[in-house]
Amino acid sequence: MIDPTLESLKDDELEVICDVINECIQIDARQRPTMKALNQNENDGNLTDNTCAQLVERSLDSFLEYIEQRAQLDISGLFSPSWNTALENSLPWITGCRPSPYIRLTYALCGSQVEYQLSEIIQGLARGNLGQILATQLRMINNLHIKTIEEEEKLSSQLAGLQENIADQPIAMVAKRMSRVGESSGNVDHALDELESSMANILQEADKLRLSTLKELLAILTPLQGVDFLVASKKLHLCMHKWGKTRENRQLFCMYVTMHI
């Protein structure tokens, strides 16, 4: 059985995707390919524009599905998810990544790959990845960057206003008059329900901005460049989680040693 979204691919292109999938679902994690190995397929020319376009489309579909599913979860918990490390929870913007770093990452990849592939570029051995981005693409990306930052600032201002409401009527005054700290109050419950509803609306707008920025960026890039970007961004996300866990384990170890000296 073939996924309907892949029906337009040729047999050899489907074979490449199936090989990648089969490697990635190995039960033994040690036998799964690394991000570097997967990216090597692109460098070796094993991924055509058509294959890459399908992979980009599936990535966008997965992101949209993720957004829709988490919209059904408790909004307060999403602002500090328990599955994140402390490092990760110190960085998010409205429960996720700011869209503007997508573009900063693109710039960084362009610069590093031009430097890394300079000799090949001089020899005319272009790979078609972000090391060969065009000036027209960069202008479009810059315009997207400016627009995205403006939208981010609007949403940040709205969130700041909601946070300030905690120090206003009725929540702050009810807390001041309470004889017992944290006792139940109908007025406070109603105010907090409204606060969470407003936060959920801002989250939806932030997710829309994340998705639209990603779509526009990938539309500017070629399919090969899009895969290049998606691999790098996913690897960065996984590394941040791993680094956060490593730092937490190191801190716990230091605390244990200190307590037992």
Side-chain angles (χ1 to χ4, degrees), residues 147-194:
K147 181 179 71 172
T148 301
I149 290 175
E150 290 175 351
E151 294 300 318
E152 286 177 355
E153 290 176 349
K154 291 178 183 177
L155 291 173
S156 294
S157 179
Q158 292 179 33
L159 181 60
L162 288 179
Q163 292 168 336
E164 291 173 2
N165 287 343
I166 296 295
D168 203 346
Q169 292 276 13
I171 298 175
M173 294 306 101
V174 171
K176 182 179 183 301
R177 299 189 187 107
M178 280 185 172
S179 56
R180 295 175 56 191
V181 174
E183 63 183 333
S184 179
S185 167
N187 289 336
V188 170
D189 285 340
H190 179 69
L192 291 178
D193 286 342
E194 290 186 343

Side-chain angles (χ1 to χ4, degrees), residues 84 88 97 231-243:
N84 277 355
E88 291 172 291
C97 178
V231 169
S233 61
K234 184 61 176 178
K235 190 171 183 180
L236 175 60
H237 173 76
L238 294 174
C239 282
M240 290 301 297
H241 181 73
K242 182 65 175 179
W243 291 332

Side-chain angles (χ1 to χ4, degrees), residues 11 33-34 36 44 49 73 77 96 116 120-121 123 138 175 177 180 192 208 211 215 222 229:
D11 289 343
T34 63
K36 182 177 180 180
D44 293 341
D49 278 352
L73 302 177
Y116 179 71
E120 296 180 7
I121 294 173
Q123 297 174 37
L138 287 174
R177 299 189 187 107
R180 295 175 56 191
L192 291 178
K208 287 180 183 178
L211 181 60
K215 281 184 174 180
T222 66
F229 166 81

Side-chain angles (χ1 to χ4, degrees), residues 1-260:
M1 294 181 68
I2 298 297
D3 188 321
T5 63
L6 301 176
E7 288 180 349
S8 62
L9 295 180
K10 299 177 181 178
D11 289 343
D12 57 338
E13 294 171 333
L14 283 171
E15 186 175 348
V16 171
I17 294 178
C18 289
D19 287 343
V20 171
I21 292 174
N22 286 329
E23 291 177 358
C24 290
I25 61 176
Q26 289 283 345
I27 296 177
D28 186 351
R30 292 170 297 181
Q31 296 183 20
R32 297 173 193 162
T34 63
M35 286 286 186
K36 182 177 180 180
L38 293 177
N39 204 30
Q40 189 64 39
N41 283 327
E42 174 192 339
N43 296 335
D44 293 341
N46 294 334
L47 294 179
T48 65
D49 278 352
N50 194 26
T51 305
C52 290
Q54 293 288 337
L55 293 174
V56 167
E57 183 179 352
R58 288 174 66 84
S59 294
L60 288 172
D61 289 343
S62 296
F63 189 30
L64 177 59
E65 182 181 0
Y66 163 74
I67 288 173
E68 292 174 343
Q69 288 182 352
R70 78 170 187 161
Q72 305 171 20
L73 302 177
D74 173 58
I75 182 65
S76 298
L78 291 175
F79 276 81
S80 184
S82 58
W83 54 86
N84 277 355
T85 62
L87 175 62
E88 291 172 291
N89 280 336
S90 70
L91 298 174
W93 173 81
I94 313 184
T95 80
C97 178
R98 283 179 177 269
S100 54
Y102 301 165
I103 299 165
R104 288 287 296 273
L105 176 60
T106 304
Y107 289 151
L109 291 170
C110 291
S112 66
Q113 291 188 4
V114 166
E115 181 179 359
Y116 179 71
Q117 301 171 14
L118 185 58
S119 62
E120 296 180 7
I121 294 173
I122 293 174
Q123 297 174 37
L125 303 176
R127 299 181 184 179
N129 58 21
L130 286 167
Q132 284 80 47
I133 197 163
L134 302 176
T136 52
Q137 289 176 293
L138 287 174
R139 282 194 293 270
M140 296 170 69
I141 291 172
N142 182 61
N143 292 335
L144 176 61
H145 197 188
I146 294 171
K147 181 179 71 172
T148 301
I149 290 175
E150 290 175 351
E151 294 300 318
E152 286 177 355
E153 290 176 349
K154 291 178 183 177
L155 291 173
S156 294
S157 179
Q158 292 179 33
L159 181 60
L162 288 179
Q163 292 168 336
E164 291 173 2
N165 287 343
I166 296 295
D168 203 346
Q169 292 276 13
I171 298 175
M173 294 306 101
V174 171
K176 182 179 183 301
R177 299 189 187 107
M178 280 185 172
S179 56
R180 295 175 56 191
V181 174
E183 63 183 333
S184 179
S185 167
N187 289 336
V188 170
D189 285 340
H190 179 69
L192 291 178
D193 286 342
E194 290 186 343
L195 177 67
E196 288 197 343
S197 176
S198 298
M199 290 171 65
N201 291 334
I202 290 179
L203 171 57
Q204 290 180 6
E205 292 303 314
D207 281 341
K208 287 180 183 178
L209 180 59
R210 278 186 273 263
L211 181 60
S212 65
T213 302
L214 185 58
K215 281 184 174 180
E216 289 187 53
L217 176 60
L218 292 172
I220 295 171
L221 302 176
T222 66
L224 277 169
Q225 291 169 345
V227 170
D228 201 13
F229 166 81
L230 290 171
V231 169
S233 61
K234 184 61 176 178
K235 190 171 183 180
L236 175 60
H237 173 76
L238 294 174
C239 282
M240 290 301 297
H241 181 73
K242 182 65 175 179
W243 291 332
K245 293 291 291 184
T246 300
R247 292 174 68 86
E248 286 182 357
N249 291 337
R250 185 188 304 148
Q251 291 167 0
L252 289 172
F253 177 75
C254 290
M255 290 175 58
Y256 175 82
V257 171
T258 301
M259 292 173 61
H260 290 80

